[in-house]
Amino acid sequence: MKFSAYESNRNVVSVWAYPLFLVLNLLLIHNWTGALTWPVLDDDHQRDFNTALGTTLLSGFFWLTIRNVHKNAASTLIAALVSLEKLSQYNHHRGVLSRQFAKHLMWSTSVGVIMPVAYLLSEGLVTRIDEPEVLVIALTSIPFWLLLTLFILQVFSNTHYLQKLASTEHSNSIKELNSLREIFNMALSNTLIAVSGFALTPIFWINKPVPFFDIVILTVYAGLISAYLFLPMIIVAKRMRTVSNIMMTEHESEITQLIRQQANSGETSTLSKKIESIETNKETLRKILSKSQKLRLLMCMMPLPTSWFVFLFVEYFYYG
């Protein structure tokens, strides 16, 4: 998978084309084996239908978003290196991230192979493995688990790497804070994309009762994933707060010196304007997150509960 900062128009098409090609092919395969045929005949068919549709759509979604995560990371890396005046090191850092991606790909492949086996065992489907639709669902769920795991690993590791780069390389607090804001925006975008994808999870319970055990497991799983996705933002925000406090302390010292200078020299106009400017900067530093960032952070909380509300509403009126 190409890790690149910017794409040509032709490559932008390919970013969409490959995930779309995967989704269309999986839908055709599941239809051919009988998992996605209509009408749904019984409970086993409904479960196969839901699983085939859900894993197919999410596989395409996570493949697409991994490409987007890479592009965001590379763009943010360029901005950080420009701020550091070390753009010549771009290829080095991109190489580090690419090797990290290769390592994550191996781990994700292992998870992709293990989870379908666990699914067959937990759902008691081993006895139906001779049925074409069950076997194909098990095989085609490998890319789903692989891409899901890879996405989660990449979101966390890319943000952590860039935050570490900005914090260790910068000697200028203002430049570090600006870089951290760029990294926070990247982490926020990735998290919003992720929770939007998880909003598709009700597909797995179409026209089926949602057992209390499933609700508990889903809630715990969603909580763990959310904590994992929000953790990079929390780390970056804490560092932003630390840098802001350092800068405000420096501003306080500067104001104190200006007040003393004003008292000794008797000059008021110029020094007053400087003090006023510094006080304005202090007010800006107190606001760690902008209004748009707070709004996007709130939006991160909305997709999953909203999707379940809509799902239950439709289920109630459509299926009774």
Side-chain angles (χ1 to χ4, degrees):
M1 196 171 294
K2 188 177 179 182
F3 184 84
S4 178
Y6 302 101
E7 304 280 0
S8 67
N9 290 333
R10 182 174 60 184
N11 285 335
V12 168
V13 173
S14 73
V15 168
W16 285 90
Y18 292 132
L20 181 60
F21 182 76
L22 173 67
V23 169
L24 292 177
N25 274 274
L26 289 179
L27 289 175
L28 288 172
I29 291 170
H30 287 307
N31 181 262
W32 178 65
T33 58
L36 287 178
T37 55
W38 192 267
V40 176
L41 302 177
D42 52 37
D43 287 342
D44 285 342
H45 187 190
Q46 184 70 66
R47 176 170 53 189
D48 295 343
F49 182 94
N50 296 350
T51 304
L53 182 61
T55 56
T56 296
L57 294 178
L58 285 170
S59 294
F61 176 84
F62 284 117
W63 189 350
L64 179 63
T65 52
I66 287 170
R67 300 296 296 271
N68 188 63
V69 166
H70 284 179
K71 185 175 180 179
N72 287 344
S75 300
T76 307
L77 174 60
I78 286 177
L81 292 175
V82 167
S83 177
L84 288 166
E85 299 180 356
K86 295 182 178 180
L87 189 56
S88 60
Q89 296 182 7
Y90 174 72
N91 286 333
H92 164 72
H93 291 289
R94 186 175 67 171
V96 173
L97 291 172
S98 295
R99 289 190 293 274
Q100 185 172 259
F101 170 73
K103 181 171 63 176
H104 290 167
L105 183 59
M106 288 191 293
W107 295 350
S108 301
T109 301
S110 300
V111 174
V113 173
I114 292 171
M115 289 306 295
V117 176
Y119 170 76
L120 290 173
L121 293 173
S122 64
E123 294 292 324
L125 297 176
V126 177
T127 56
R128 295 180 56 206
I129 198 64
D130 57 325
E131 299 177 21
E133 63 270 25
V134 175
L135 178 60
V136 170
I137 286 174
L139 293 175
T140 55
S141 65
I142 292 175
F144 163 71
W145 287 107
L146 187 157
L147 291 165
L148 169 61
T149 307
L150 186 60
F151 173 80
I152 293 171
L153 290 173
Q154 286 284 282
V155 165
F156 182 87
S157 62
N158 286 348
T159 305
H160 178 70
Y161 183 86
L162 292 171
Q163 185 268 327
K164 187 177 178 181
L165 174 67
S167 299
T168 57
E169 296 287 339
H170 271 298
S171 58
N172 185 303
S173 296
I174 296 176
K175 290 184 177 180
E176 180 183 353
L177 185 60
N178 290 335
S179 294
L180 288 171
R181 282 172 175 159
E182 290 287 336
I183 295 167
F184 184 87
N185 283 333
M186 182 196 73
L188 186 56
S189 296
N190 291 340
T191 302
L192 185 56
I193 291 170
V195 295
S196 298
F198 293 134
L200 296 173
T201 53
I203 291 174
F204 293 100
W205 285 273
I206 293 175
N207 197 26
K208 285 179 66 66
V210 185
F212 178 75
F213 179 76
D214 285 6
I215 295 175
V216 172
I217 293 298
L218 184 64
T219 302
V220 172
Y221 181 75
L224 291 174
I225 293 297
S226 298
Y228 186 81
L229 290 171
F230 278 95
L231 183 59
M233 287 195 294
I234 295 171
I235 293 172
V236 174
K238 286 180 66 176
R239 181 59 188 172
M240 288 167 63
R241 169 63 69 185
T242 300
V243 175
S244 295
N245 288 339
I246 292 172
M247 293 177 65
M248 282 194 288
T249 302
E250 293 173 352
H251 285 335
E252 289 286 353
S253 299
E254 191 174 351
I255 289 172
T256 301
Q257 291 177 358
L258 289 172
I259 291 173
R260 289 174 181 171
Q261 185 178 346
Q262 188 179 47
N264 293 332
S265 65
E267 183 181 355
T268 57
S269 178
T270 304
L271 294 177
S272 295
K273 288 181 180 179
K274 288 183 178 179
I275 293 173
E276 185 178 346
S277 175
I278 294 171
E279 287 289 353
T280 302
N281 290 337
K282 282 177 58 182
E283 288 300 318
T284 302
L285 289 171
R286 286 192 181 96
K287 299 175 182 177
I288 300 299
L289 301 180
S290 65
K291 289 183 178 180
S292 63
Q293 288 174 327
K294 290 178 181 178
L295 179 60
R296 291 167 67 195
L297 194 59
L298 179 63
M299 289 172 62
C300 288
M301 315 289 185
M302 300 301 294
L304 192 58
T306 301
S307 68
W308 273 99
F309 175 80
V310 172
F311 168 74
L312 294 174
F313 181 83
V314 172
E315 285 275 300
Y316 178 80
F317 284 97
Y318 187 77
Y319 294 107

